[in-house]
Amino acid sequence: MAGDHAVVLRMVGVSKAYLGTQALKGVDFELKAGAVNVLVGENGAGKSTMMKIIAGVEQPTGGQLLLDGRPVSLRSCEEARRHGIGIVFQELNLFPNLSIAENLFIGRELVKARHAIDMPAQRERARALLRDLAHELDPDTLVGDLRVGQQQIVEIAKALSQDARILILDEPTSALSQPEVEVLFRVIADLKARGVAIVYISHRLEELVRIGDYITVLRDGRITGSARMAEVDVPWIVRQMVGASTRDFARTDDHQFGDVVLQVENVRLPRRNLPGWLVDGVSLQLRAGEIVGIYGLMGAGRTELFECIFGCHPGRASGSVQLQGQQLMGRDIQACIRAGLALIPEDRKADGLVHTQSIAENMTLSSLWRLARRGWLGPAAERRAVAQQVRELHIKAPRPELPIGSLSGGNQQKVLIGRALMTNPKVLLMDEPSRGIDIGAKAEVFKAMRDMAKAGMAILFVTSDLEEVMALSDRILVMCNGRVSAEFAEGQATQAALVAASAPGQPLAA
């Protein structure tokens, strides 16, 4: 890498405490212009806290920020924005009841005479921003009608619309397909050429090595390593994060599968107010102790298939879903849970967590009927059940009574996994189970999946990560345009074959 980059922002001895928990401990950090400044660390290491301080969401309890060499106090997002700082949060911050264009310009509306909002100008600017990200979405579409990956594209477009000189991207690719990731990388290269300082947070380590110019590693609120990206490799990154250099996605010993527990036949889900199908005649079966991975691009119908199996579309979905011979199609979510199904949703913020409740209350939400005795919930039984999941899933939670929002994104994901396990399911549906989870937590979750399968649980999971689906799956299904386009037995799949099977050929008939 030729030449050094100028330091645009510096954190000096910055600390931050929450409810007695020290999130940051005297952090010194330099952010360089015209470069991708990678920030990595396990969930709970303090990455998001650092970025929230830079973006004006949080204020430090100690230390200071220097912008262009001068002390600055960023007391709000608006103040940070005036200094040219933009952020794409890991948890999406959009208004589902507003259109794409309205979300992009909320609080910064384009106006014409007499201060009226210039909606045509906003729509045209929105179209241009989305086109730069290779998306031809209608600017008048309600954000609530978009899938998670499309919402993430809107968040990125919103940040780009602010012409920021400092742009923070917190897990920007977690819900994007590989082609969308490539588009984002081209946009980042263009921003670098314009001198924008980019902070890039991700748990996809090979992605970081490819795109980063500088790397900073956080562990337990402290910086453990800082270097030029050209001078490090993946084992160095992992070693700074967790004190070891391995990525353990390894499978456990092979075991025998049991009988078929889940039989799905010709499941279909129509589009809303449009011709065609979101899920188009999908059939599959799952045996006890088997892990089946579903790979596909965003919009392939993977999430919608899970929703059909789990009773989210009674009256709309058709076909047959049988769990150990019991017909579940047409029954509601509660009936599916009691029958032995559990679902970990793709979007934990919108579909998984109750943000006004505590860690413990979120974890026991689906199993209160199992914990109650004669209609009464025993606090002692609830505490024991929660403590067991916290211990087994290595959830970093000082006290289960704290709000769920006090946890990092990865630990919130573990809470959802614990909630599912507390229902003692026969079949576990996992939609992007590793989204927002660090390398150490990934290994723990994957080991838990293999252990659960060895104990006889059947697992059906969706992932956009080729390495994960190949490492974890006993069998792989590929979805495209709402259909199963290919199936691979263990050892038969290659990354090239999976990508080829997931690529749309002829568009789905309208």
Side-chain angles (χ1 to χ4, degrees), residues 121-327:
Q122 289 193 169
R123 289 190 192 97
E124 189 55 37
R125 176 70 174 135
R127 273 195 195 91
L129 288 164
L130 293 168
R131 199 173 297 121
D132 286 343
L133 293 168
H135 274 66
E136 296 290 341
L137 296 171
D138 183 349
D140 289 326
T141 303
L142 292 181
V143 163
D145 292 336
L146 302 178
R147 299 305 308 172
V148 174
Q150 293 172 317
Q151 291 183 18
Q152 196 142 25
I153 290 292
V154 173
E155 275 280 24
I156 294 167
K158 182 179 175 181
L160 295 179
S161 72
Q162 300 172 20
D163 295 323
R165 59 191 293 238
I166 295 173
L167 180 60
I168 301 166
L169 301 174
D170 193 350
E171 296 286 353
T173 63
S174 60
L176 302 185
S177 65
Q178 192 57 42
E180 290 165 331
V181 171
E182 296 300 326
V183 171
L184 176 61
F185 286 178
R186 289 198 295 271
V187 171
I188 287 173
D190 180 59
L191 293 172
K192 279 176 56 178
R194 287 192 255 156
V196 176
I198 298 167
V199 182
Y200 195 95
I201 300 173
S202 177
H203 294 307
R204 299 179 178 180
L205 302 188
E206 289 82 1
E207 182 178 286
L208 302 180
V209 171
R210 174 184 168 189
I211 197 173
D213 297 304
Y214 300 92
I215 183 168
T216 301
V217 185
L218 269 176
R219 189 198 306 172
D220 295 328
R222 291 189 174 91
I223 290 178
T224 58
S226 185
R228 287 174 175 265
M229 186 62 80
E231 299 169 355
V232 306
D233 55 14
V234 169
W236 181 90
I237 299 171
V238 176
R239 196 160 50 246
Q240 303 304 313
M241 286 172 58
V242 299
S245 59
T246 59
R247 300 184 71 197
D248 185 13
F249 290 173
R251 299 160 61 96
T252 57
D253 295 336
D254 290 336
H255 59 275
Q256 295 297 314
F257 304 138
D259 296 332
V260 172
V261 289
L262 182 68
Q263 184 79 42
V264 175
E265 295 181 354
N266 197 31
V267 167
R268 305 184 99 190
L269 180 67
R271 299 180 185 275
R272 285 190 182 275
N273 306 318
L274 289 172
W277 304 90
L278 293 168
V279 180
D280 188 9
V282 171
S283 299
L284 61 88
Q285 63 179 23
L286 189 63
R287 292 171 289 176
E290 186 181 26
I291 298 180
V292 173
I294 299 180
Y295 177 79
L297 303 179
M298 187 180 70
R302 306 166 307 166
T303 294
E304 291 84 357
L305 173 63
F306 274 19
E307 291 172 350
C308 292
I309 295 172
F310 199 59
C312 299
H313 300 290
R316 290 187 63 223
S318 60
S320 173
V321 176
Q322 293 188 37
L323 181 62
Q324 293 185 325
Q326 180 181 357
Q327 181 60 249

Side-chain angles (χ1 to χ4, degrees), residues 325-340:
Q326 180 181 357
Q327 181 60 249
L328 296 181
M329 180 59 75
R331 304 186 67 183
D332 61 17
I333 293 173
Q334 185 178 16
C336 291
I337 292 174
R338 287 180 177 265

Side-chain angles (χ1 to χ4, degrees), residues 321-398:
V321 176
Q322 293 188 37
L323 181 62
Q324 293 185 325
Q326 180 181 357
Q327 181 60 249
L328 296 181
M329 180 59 75
R331 304 186 67 183
D332 61 17
I333 293 173
Q334 185 178 16
C336 291
I337 292 174
R338 287 180 177 265
L341 274 178
L343 169 67
I344 297 169
E346 177 188 25
D347 188 347
R348 61 175 170 264
K349 182 176 181 181
D351 301 325
L353 299 172
V354 181
H355 295 270
T356 56
Q357 292 190 331
S358 69
I359 298 165
E361 288 167 334
N362 268 278
M363 194 178 292
T364 59
L365 198 59
S366 298
S367 56
L368 295 176
W369 58 282
R370 300 186 67 93
L371 297 171
R373 295 292 180 268
R374 297 179 181 177
W376 293 91
L377 180 63
E382 185 179 25
R383 282 195 299 270
R384 285 194 299 271
V386 169
Q388 179 181 351
Q389 295 301 326
V390 168
R391 183 171 61 253
E392 292 181 356
L393 293 173
H394 303 282
I395 300 172
K396 294 180 180 178

